[in-house]
Amino acid sequence: MKFDTIIIGGGLSGLTCGIKLVEKGQKCLIVSSGQSALHFSSGSFDLLNHLDGKPVIEPLQAVAALADSKPQHPYAKIGVTNFGILTQEAKALLQRTGVATVGNATCNHYRITPLGELKPTWLSVPDCAISPNGNTLPWKKVSIFNIAGFLDFHPTFISEEFQKMGTLSEVYTIDIPELESLRRNPSELRATNISQLFENDAAFASLAEILKQGRNHSDIIIIPACLGLNDNSIVKLNTLVGCQVYMIPTFPPSIVGIRSQQRMVTYFRSQGGYYMLGDAVNNIDRETNGMYRINTNNHGDISFTARNIVLATGSFFSKGLVASRQQIFEPIAYLDVDAADKRQDWYSENFFDDQAYQYFGVRTDANFRVSKQGNIQHRFYAAGAVLSGFNALREGCGSGVSLLTALHIADQIVKNDPS
Ligand SMILES: Cc1cc2nc3c(=O)[nH]c(=O)nc-3n(C[C@H](O)[C@H](O)[C@H](O)COP(=O)(O)OP(=O)(O)OC[C@H]3O[C@@H](n4cnc5c(N)ncnc54)[C@H](O)[C@@H]3O)c2cc1C
């Protein structure tokens, strides 16, 4: 089958690029082997939280300094003006797919971690609790609920952290007979299964009643993020309980991340995109007519061809990069990577140091075109976590790099491929 563009990897960057391309009228295929980082994410999208070890409050202001000091950073390649434009475009694109968010690139807000700490971020979904600043919360008193036996959420830690910030809390347990079947096997009592259980009307009504009774004059109610995988449960709960109910992310799996991914996939398909999940690309060749040809594990000899390729296979976590004992490499096309040669230069033994391997990734030019044995590959781009030159953990810029590089690459493709 023939496409305008084939995208390898269907996480945040692959989907973002694909959505923009299909909206521009391209015939686009995404091949994705499995779960993406979204399945493990906080549910918030980070843009730029730290620069040179110092916290960033205003990403739009800070990006110029980043572009000066780190010319290989993906944001430097995007350019300061374009960075601002693409942040707005990213938020609007998410909104179109059904992923509504609060927040903007002018000023970071703070998400609440599963342990009750505040961390800066760019965009959060409106059903999760956030704070406008980093050391206090906007409520005097909250009621925190957990599901009986649920181990991926820790109200006591959250309550202690809240108390340090001057917010009182009371902790309650949600227990209804329907949960018993999940509790028989602890591995079944996970956020995704709990969410599906509460899609049952009777279970949901019992939940609303328990929350109502436990409100006890609190400003808001907090529950673990294990609702709303497939519906707008939190909106319904607000009405039934008569008080604002917010979620706090749990340990993975991430309901909010999975929901975002599902909505993006659904939207991509609704615009005519082809999304092949559970298949892996195992080689990429270029034909004499300039078209790229890929083969996948499930399709054997049947090839897919396209004028443009976007590699969005993620970092080590998603196997977009692989480390053997001797070298770090990109495993599909053996593209050039930016990585230290000697293994002892890959990492520092102090876990909390700035780790070199976090910056490793596929080498690209200023337009995110990849290279192989020193030769730029035309119409072959790389986006998101597979790129070199940034540290998603240290700089707090993972989702921003994925969203913005994907949008920027889609612009290059459309420019070269006017319809
Ligand atoms: C565990 C974890 C949690 C994170 N949490 C956050 C967070 O809360 N907020 C934030 O801002 N950032 C977070 N990040 C940073 C994250 O990298 C980015 O936010 C972003 O989601 C990465 O998207 P991506 O599409 O570039 O890569 P990925 O999400 O890694 O997606 C790559 C996809 O490519 C597929 N793939 C790989 N090889 C092949 C192949 N050969 N053929 C076909 N498909 C293939 C994989 O299966 C995967 O689906 C987190 C990262 C990790 C690892």
Side-chain angles (χ1 to χ4, degrees):
M1 253 179 120
K2 222 170 167 176
F3 295 88
D4 297 315
T5 301
I6 294 175
I7 298 171
I8 309 169
L12 185 62
S13 57
L15 278 164
T16 302
C17 191
I19 286 167
K20 183 160 177 179
L21 290 174
V22 289
E23 284 183 336
K24 296 279 182 191
Q26 283 224 336
K27 186 175 174 189
C28 187
L29 168 69
I30 297 179
V31 186
S32 199
S33 53
Q35 292 180 335
S36 74
L38 280 173
H39 288 71
F40 302 83
S41 84
S42 63
S44 287
F45 302 90
D46 298 340
L47 182 62
L48 184 61
N49 300 338
H50 288 94
L51 181 57
D52 299 328
K54 297 195 190 94
V56 168
I57 295 167
E58 297 175 338
L60 278 185
Q61 290 287 329
V63 75
L66 178 146
D68 276 349
S69 64
K70 298 173 192 270
Q72 292 311 315
H73 196 288
Y75 289 163
K77 293 183 183 179
I78 285 171
V80 174
T81 310
N82 207 13
F83 175 87
I85 295 167
L86 293 181
T87 55
Q88 291 183 22
E89 194 183 328
K91 185 174 163 97
L93 180 142
L94 289 171
Q95 173 85 40
R96 283 200 297 286
T97 68
V99 183
T101 57
V102 293
N104 57 66
T106 310
C107 185
N108 278 329
H109 63 271
Y110 293 80
R111 65 181 172 88
I112 302 174
T113 71
L115 296 178
E117 294 170 322
L118 294 181
K119 295 268 188 236
T121 194
W122 168 36
L123 301 173
S124 298
V125 296
D127 40 14
C128 281
I130 57 165
S131 178
N133 59 66
N135 39 32
T136 56
L137 295 163
W139 318 288
K140 287 202 170 68
K141 187 183 159 208
V142 303
S143 295
I144 308 176
F145 286 78
N146 194 15
I147 310 285
F150 183 49
L151 299 177
D152 293 336
F153 188 69
H154 298 278
T156 315
F157 289 148
I158 295 172
S159 176
E160 282 169 9
E161 288 300 322
F162 278 18
Q163 191 157 8
K164 288 184 206 159
M165 293 185 266
T167 294
L168 297 176
S169 51
E170 283 173 7
V171 174
Y172 299 92
T173 302
I174 300 163
D175 202 0
I176 57 170
E178 289 90 331
L179 283 164
E180 200 47 48
S181 61
L182 291 185
R183 236 187 335 259
R184 260 184 235 130
N185 178 350
S187 64
E188 296 286 314
L189 198 64
R190 311 305 299 270
T192 38
N193 295 341
I194 295 170
S195 175
Q196 275 155 6
L197 184 141
F198 282 117
E199 283 171 20
N200 171 293
D201 287 345
F204 191 72
S206 308
L207 169 69
E209 196 48 42
I210 292 171
L211 298 184
K212 211 169 173 176
Q213 283 170 14
R215 179 181 175 189
N216 200 13
H217 307 294
S218 288
D219 299 329
I220 60 156
I221 286 173
I222 284 176
I223 57 171
C226 50
L227 277 191
L229 185 59
N230 300 310
D231 58 19
N232 287 323
S233 299
I234 293 294
V235 178
K236 284 193 263 169
L237 266 186
N238 289 338
T239 314
L240 288 173
V241 179
C243 156
Q244 184 69 50
V245 180
Y246 283 119
M247 303 196 288
I248 288 185
T250 64
F251 292 140
S254 160
I255 285 280
V256 177
I258 297 171
R259 184 178 66 188
S260 301
Q261 166 128 358
Q262 283 176 352
R263 289 185 178 176
M264 291 179 83
V265 171
T266 303
Y267 182 81
F268 173 70
R269 285 184 166 144
S270 76
Q271 299 296 302
Y274 296 75
Y275 190 86
M276 256 163 41
L277 182 62
D279 201 357
V281 174
N282 51 37
N283 75 292
I284 307 170
D285 291 318
R286 196 155 195 215
E287 297 174 342
T288 45
N289 61 4
M291 295 286 280
Y292 286 99
R293 180 165 40 81
I294 64 152
N295 287 92
T296 71
N297 285 350
N298 293 354
H299 285 81
D301 292 342
I302 301 169
S303 304
F304 301 90
T305 58
R307 272 190 309 285
N308 310 290
I309 294 282
V310 180
L311 186 79
T313 45
S315 190
F316 299 101
F317 180 77
S318 292
K319 300 197 173 67
L321 295 175
V322 174
S324 70
R325 287 206 69 77
Q326 294 79 24
Q327 57 163 341
I328 284 166
F329 61 99
E330 185 287 306
I332 307 177
Y334 299 93
L335 301 172
D336 296 341
V337 293
D338 290 317
D341 289 337
K342 292 192 191 131
R343 191 181 168 85
Q344 64 264 33
D345 298 331
W346 294 355
Y347 60 93
S348 156
E349 286 189 1
N350 182 351
F351 183 77
F352 295 102
D353 281 354
D354 196 6
Q355 296 287 348
Y357 71 87
Q358 289 280 343
Y359 296 87
F360 297 168
V362 164
R363 182 176 302 159
T364 55
D365 69 0
N367 289 319
F368 297 102
R369 289 179 307 176
V370 302
S371 67
K372 192 167 175 174
Q373 293 167 352
N375 299 313
I376 292 293
Q377 306 291 296
H378 294 285
R379 294 174 177 267
F380 189 162
Y381 305 85
V386 74
L387 290 167
S388 66
F390 71 105
N391 183 335
L393 268 182
R394 192 110 178 149
E395 297 165 346
C397 63
S399 292
V401 166
S402 291
L403 284 159
L404 271 49
T405 56
L407 292 172
H408 185 70
I409 288 166
D411 279 336
Q412 312 303 309
I413 291 175
V414 171
K415 224 188 300 167
N416 291 334
D417 263 5
S419 51

mmCIF file of all heavy atoms in Angstrom, residues 8 138 141 150 213 253 266 270 273-274 292 321 337 349 381-382 407:
data_model
loop_
_atom_site.group_PDB
_atom_site.id
_atom_site.type_symbol
_atom_site.label_atom_id
_atom_site.label_comp_id
_atom_site.label_asym_id
_atom_site.label_seq_id
_atom_site.Cartn_x
_atom_site.Cartn_y
_atom_site.Cartn_z
ATOM 1 N N ILE A 8 6.519 5.856 12.178
ATOM 2 C CA ILE A 8 6.832 4.647 12.941
ATOM 3 C C ILE A 8 6.803 5.018 14.414
ATOM 4 O O ILE A 8 7.629 5.808 14.887
ATOM 5 C CB ILE A 8 8.210 4.088 12.538
ATOM 6 C CG1 ILE A 8 8.273 3.952 11.023
ATOM 7 C CG2 ILE A 8 8.464 2.746 13.217
ATOM 8 C CD1 ILE A 8 9.676 3.667 10.505
ATOM 9 N N PRO A 138 -4.791 25.706 46.780
ATOM 10 C CA PRO A 138 -5.883 26.687 46.833
ATOM 11 C C PRO A 138 -7.060 26.281 47.734
ATOM 12 O O PRO A 138 -8.123 26.851 47.630
ATOM 13 C CB PRO A 138 -6.343 26.779 45.366
ATOM 14 C CG PRO A 138 -5.845 25.571 44.694
ATOM 15 C CD PRO A 138 -4.738 24.977 45.501
ATOM 16 N N LYS A 141 -9.400 22.898 53.297
ATOM 17 C CA LYS A 141 -9.621 21.529 53.767
ATOM 18 C C LYS A 141 -10.111 20.646 52.617
ATOM 19 O O LYS A 141 -10.954 21.088 51.818
ATOM 20 C CB LYS A 141 -10.671 21.544 54.884
ATOM 21 C CG LYS A 141 -10.849 20.208 55.554
ATOM 22 C CD LYS A 141 -11.946 20.243 56.599
ATOM 23 C CE LYS A 141 -12.431 18.833 56.868
ATOM 24 N NZ LYS A 141 -13.809 18.774 57.297
ATOM 25 N N PHE A 150 -6.571 -0.656 47.324
ATOM 26 C CA PHE A 150 -5.885 -0.170 46.112
ATOM 27 C C PHE A 150 -4.482 0.325 46.496
ATOM 28 O O PHE A 150 -4.342 1.248 47.299
ATOM 29 C CB PHE A 150 -6.722 0.959 45.491
ATOM 30 C CG PHE A 150 -6.170 1.511 44.210
ATOM 31 C CD1 PHE A 150 -5.782 0.686 43.169
ATOM 32 C CD2 PHE A 150 -6.071 2.887 44.027
ATOM 33 C CE1 PHE A 150 -5.292 1.213 41.974
ATOM 34 C CE2 PHE A 150 -5.584 3.428 42.837
ATOM 35 C CZ PHE A 150 -5.193 2.572 41.820
ATOM 36 N N GLN A 213 -21.351 11.616 51.424
ATOM 37 C CA GLN A 213 -21.366 11.487 52.886
ATOM 38 C C GLN A 213 -20.037 11.892 53.512
ATOM 39 O O GLN A 213 -19.977 12.361 54.633
ATOM 40 C CB GLN A 213 -21.709 10.048 53.274
ATOM 41 C CG GLN A 213 -23.192 9.774 53.113
ATOM 42 C CD GLN A 213 -23.531 8.308 53.256
ATOM 43 O OE1 GLN A 213 -22.718 7.529 53.726
ATOM 44 N NE2 GLN A 213 -24.726 7.943 52.830
ATOM 45 N N PRO A 253 -0.823 1.801 35.745
ATOM 46 C CA PRO A 253 -1.115 2.486 34.494
ATOM 47 C C PRO A 253 -1.849 3.812 34.699
ATOM 48 O O PRO A 253 -2.603 3.944 35.660
ATOM 49 C CB PRO A 253 -2.013 1.483 33.758
ATOM 50 C CG PRO A 253 -2.677 0.692 34.834
ATOM 51 C CD PRO A 253 -1.690 0.598 35.943
ATOM 52 N N THR A 266 -8.485 7.706 18.067
ATOM 53 C CA THR A 266 -9.839 7.764 17.503
ATOM 54 C C THR A 266 -9.966 8.946 16.550
ATOM 55 O O THR A 266 -10.509 8.831 15.444
ATOM 56 C CB THR A 266 -10.883 7.887 18.647
ATOM 57 O OG1 THR A 266 -10.698 6.782 19.522
ATOM 58 C CG2 THR A 266 -12.305 7.878 18.120
ATOM 59 N N SER A 270 -10.625 9.008 12.577
ATOM 60 C CA SER A 270 -11.836 9.692 12.073
ATOM 61 C C SER A 270 -11.488 10.653 10.934
ATOM 62 O O SER A 270 -12.344 10.989 10.120
ATOM 63 C CB SER A 270 -12.542 10.456 13.195
ATOM 64 O OG SER A 270 -11.819 11.647 13.482
ATOM 65 N N GLY A 273 -6.902 8.649 8.875
ATOM 66 C CA GLY A 273 -5.576 8.060 9.101
ATOM 67 C C GLY A 273 -5.649 6.551 9.328
ATOM 68 O O GLY A 273 -6.669 6.024 9.779
ATOM 69 N N TYR A 274 -4.569 5.857 9.011
ATOM 70 C CA TYR A 274 -4.475 4.403 9.219
ATOM 71 C C TYR A 274 -3.569 4.169 10.431
ATOM 72 O O TYR A 274 -2.429 4.639 10.434
ATOM 73 C CB TYR A 274 -3.861 3.708 7.995
ATOM 74 C CG TYR A 274 -4.698 3.824 6.750
ATOM 75 C CD1 TYR A 274 -4.754 5.027 6.038
ATOM 76 C CD2 TYR A 274 -5.442 2.742 6.275
ATOM 77 C CE1 TYR A 274 -5.536 5.147 4.895
ATOM 78 C CE2 TYR A 274 -6.220 2.855 5.125
ATOM 79 C CZ TYR A 274 -6.264 4.061 4.450
ATOM 80 O OH TYR A 274 -7.028 4.177 3.329
ATOM 81 N N TYR A 292 10.258 5.519 0.084
ATOM 82 C CA TYR A 292 10.705 4.642 1.176
ATOM 83 C C TYR A 292 9.790 3.425 1.240
ATOM 84 O O TYR A 292 8.579 3.520 1.006
ATOM 85 C CB TYR A 292 10.663 5.385 2.507
ATOM 86 C CG TYR A 292 11.798 6.390 2.641
ATOM 87 C CD1 TYR A 292 11.585 7.736 2.390
ATOM 88 C CD2 TYR A 292 13.073 5.974 2.998
ATOM 89 C CE1 TYR A 292 12.623 8.657 2.495
ATOM 90 C CE2 TYR A 292 14.117 6.879 3.103
ATOM 91 C CZ TYR A 292 13.890 8.209 2.853
ATOM 92 O OH TYR A 292 14.923 9.106 2.950
ATOM 93 N N LEU A 321 15.649 3.386 20.964
ATOM 94 C CA LEU A 321 17.111 3.295 21.082
ATOM 95 C C LEU A 321 17.424 2.030 21.864
ATOM 96 O O LEU A 321 16.674 1.664 22.769
ATOM 97 C CB LEU A 321 17.677 4.475 21.886
ATOM 98 C CG LEU A 321 17.556 5.871 21.309
ATOM 99 C CD1 LEU A 321 18.065 6.871 22.326
ATOM 100 C CD2 LEU A 321 18.333 5.992 20.002
ATOM 101 N N VAL A 337 23.610 8.106 15.592
ATOM 102 C CA VAL A 337 23.122 8.560 16.904
ATOM 103 C C VAL A 337 24.179 9.445 17.558
ATOM 104 O O VAL A 337 25.377 9.295 17.296
ATOM 105 C CB VAL A 337 22.783 7.375 17.856
ATOM 106 C CG1 VAL A 337 21.605 6.573 17.365
ATOM 107 C CG2 VAL A 337 23.987 6.483 18.091
ATOM 108 N N GLU A 349 27.656 7.177 38.333
ATOM 109 C CA GLU A 349 27.185 6.212 39.328
ATOM 110 C C GLU A 349 26.266 6.862 40.353
ATOM 111 O O GLU A 349 25.486 6.182 41.013
ATOM 112 C CB GLU A 349 28.372 5.530 39.994
ATOM 113 C CG GLU A 349 28.957 4.542 39.015
ATOM 114 C CD GLU A 349 30.009 3.640 39.588
ATOM 115 O OE1 GLU A 349 30.297 3.770 40.799
ATOM 116 O OE2 GLU A 349 30.542 2.832 38.822
ATOM 117 N N TYR A 381 12.512 11.928 8.732
ATOM 118 C CA TYR A 381 12.610 12.792 9.915
ATOM 119 C C TYR A 381 12.535 11.950 11.195
ATOM 120 O O TYR A 381 12.058 10.820 11.188
ATOM 121 C CB TYR A 381 11.439 13.778 9.933
ATOM 122 C CG TYR A 381 11.308 14.614 8.677
ATOM 123 C CD1 TYR A 381 10.624 14.123 7.557
ATOM 124 C CD2 TYR A 381 11.842 15.890 8.605
ATOM 125 C CE1 TYR A 381 10.492 14.889 6.409
ATOM 126 C CE2 TYR A 381 11.711 16.664 7.454
ATOM 127 C CZ TYR A 381 11.043 16.155 6.369
ATOM 128 O OH TYR A 381 10.913 16.919 5.232
ATOM 129 N N ALA A 382 12.972 12.560 12.303
ATOM 130 C CA ALA A 382 12.779 11.927 13.619
ATOM 131 C C ALA A 382 12.135 12.941 14.562
ATOM 132 O O ALA A 382 12.477 14.130 14.535
ATOM 133 C CB ALA A 382 14.103 11.449 14.189
ATOM 134 N N LEU A 407 4.896 18.631 15.363
ATOM 135 C CA LEU A 407 4.185 19.668 14.599
ATOM 136 C C LEU A 407 5.126 20.349 13.607
ATOM 137 O O LEU A 407 4.755 20.641 12.467
ATOM 138 C CB LEU A 407 3.597 20.715 15.557
ATOM 139 C CG LEU A 407 2.449 20.219 16.449
ATOM 140 C CD1 LEU A 407 2.070 21.274 17.489
ATOM 141 C CD2 LEU A 407 1.229 19.860 15.606
#
